[in-house]
Amino acid sequence: MKQPTRPPKGIPLRSVVPNAITVLALCFGLSGVRFAIAEDWEKAALMILVAAVLDAMDGRIARMLNGQSRFGAELDSLSDVIAFGVSPAIILYLWSLQYLPKFGWIFALAHAVCAALRLARFNANIDVEDQPHKSAGFLTGVPAPAGAGLTFLPLYLWLWTGLGVFQSTYVVAPWAALIAFMMISNIATFSWGSLRLRRHVRLGALVVIALIGGALLSVPWPTLSIAAVLYAGMIPASILSYAKIKKQRAAAPASPEPQQGEDAPSL
């Protein structure tokens, strides 16, 4: 009599790889705090940038390897809170906000708390079917990695130009508060996964991506500054684009109800 085969023991490697990338993103985010304590602001900002790149990879690799899991989703959110909420808040505080008496720490806390609230809202809505923004290819609010990148815009400009005005607490504090609000707002923002390129521009897009990569290696701070400004400029466009889609949905004719005496069946 053939004995039943036992299920294989252990965790499949395809489930470990994306989680390992998530943990690496967490480590890079925390390393940014370490460099900020040493006042090495360039490396501090670069650590958050590397964490954002890894965060963009882990989900896609998990889908490629069919290694998605609830554990991975929770780990990703916890990593994002630290790498893009807590770490940027501490870096901004040590770089600028500590010089704002009494209130500087409040602005740093606002960024960390809003990042945590945004990710908690995201986790709470994972199994919700009725998500108008998601069904239209949009996100709700500014994602945590993009929020960290936007919050660092004054830091990028300071590293680029050396002008002290960008380190001023009266510039950094209101900017940080604005980005924190946008992370927990209900505004519609573009989702990169929903963007589609036409076939005739695909090669051109690859050339642009290569040029951007070269610019990041050669002149990182001007490139990151321009990228942050462009992303911020896309937010009003995304709001208008979603408003147009929402209006089209509202104007779409509902399925006509049969009229009594015409097409309605007699009872």
Side-chain angles (χ1 to χ4, degrees):
M1 182 177 179
K2 186 178 180 180
Q3 296 182 350
T5 57
R6 295 180 180 179
K9 296 182 179 181
I11 302 174
L13 183 61
R14 68 174 183 271
S15 299
V16 175
V17 172
N19 293 336
I21 296 174
T22 302
V23 172
L24 281 176
L26 169 62
C27 292
F28 274 100
L30 284 175
S31 297
V33 177
R34 180 254 183 188
F35 286 113
I37 294 173
E39 297 187 355
D40 192 342
W41 308 115
E42 291 191 0
K43 289 182 180 178
L46 286 174
M47 290 299 102
I48 304 301
L49 177 63
V50 174
V53 173
L54 293 173
D55 180 72
M57 292 171 55
D58 59 2
R60 288 168 175 78
I61 291 177
R63 288 188 290 271
M64 287 173 56
L65 299 178
N66 195 23
Q68 305 100 312
S69 65
R70 187 74 185 192
F71 173 82
E74 297 295 337
L75 177 63
D76 184 71
S77 292
L78 291 172
S79 173
D80 286 357
V81 169
I82 295 174
F84 309 120
V86 176
S87 294
I90 296 175
I91 293 171
L92 280 181
Y93 180 77
L94 295 175
W95 174 63
S96 171
L97 294 176
Q98 65 172 319
Y99 303 111
L100 182 63
K102 298 182 182 180
F103 299 104
W105 183 239
I106 295 177
F107 286 97
L109 283 176
H111 178 86
V113 170
C114 287
L117 291 174
R118 173 188 168 72
L119 291 162
R121 180 178 65 182
F122 175 82
N123 286 352
N125 291 332
I126 286 180
D127 298 325
V128 176
E129 295 182 1
D130 184 18
Q131 298 188 52
H133 287 168
K134 185 177 180 180
S135 63
F138 292 83
L139 300 173
T140 302
V142 173
L150 285 176
T151 305
F152 277 168
L153 178 57
L155 176 58
Y156 299 152
L157 292 170
W158 178 75
L159 290 170
W160 176 13
T161 65
L163 296 177
V165 64
F166 295 116
Q167 195 179 12
S168 169
T169 55
Y170 299 104
V171 172
V172 177
W175 178 253
L178 174 63
I179 302 306
F181 169 75
M182 294 185 72
M183 282 195 292
I184 60 171
S185 68
N186 289 321
I187 63 173
T189 57
F190 287 122
S191 170
W192 294 109
S194 65
L195 297 178
R196 296 290 185 269
L197 293 177
R198 297 180 180 179
R199 293 184 180 274
H200 67 277
V201 300
R202 187 172 299 176
L203 293 179
L206 292 175
V207 172
V208 172
I209 292 172
L211 292 175
I212 293 174
L216 281 172
L217 294 175
S218 303
V219 282
W221 311 122
T223 304
L224 289 171
S225 299
I226 294 171
V229 170
L230 289 176
Y231 182 85
M234 290 173 59
I235 294 176
S238 66
I239 296 174
L240 293 175
S241 179
Y242 178 73
K244 183 178 179 181
I245 293 175
K246 186 177 180 180
K247 186 177 180 180
Q248 291 174 348
R249 286 180 170 180
S255 56
E257 297 182 0
Q259 298 294 327
Q260 183 67 31
E262 295 180 1
D263 297 330
S266 57
L267 299 178

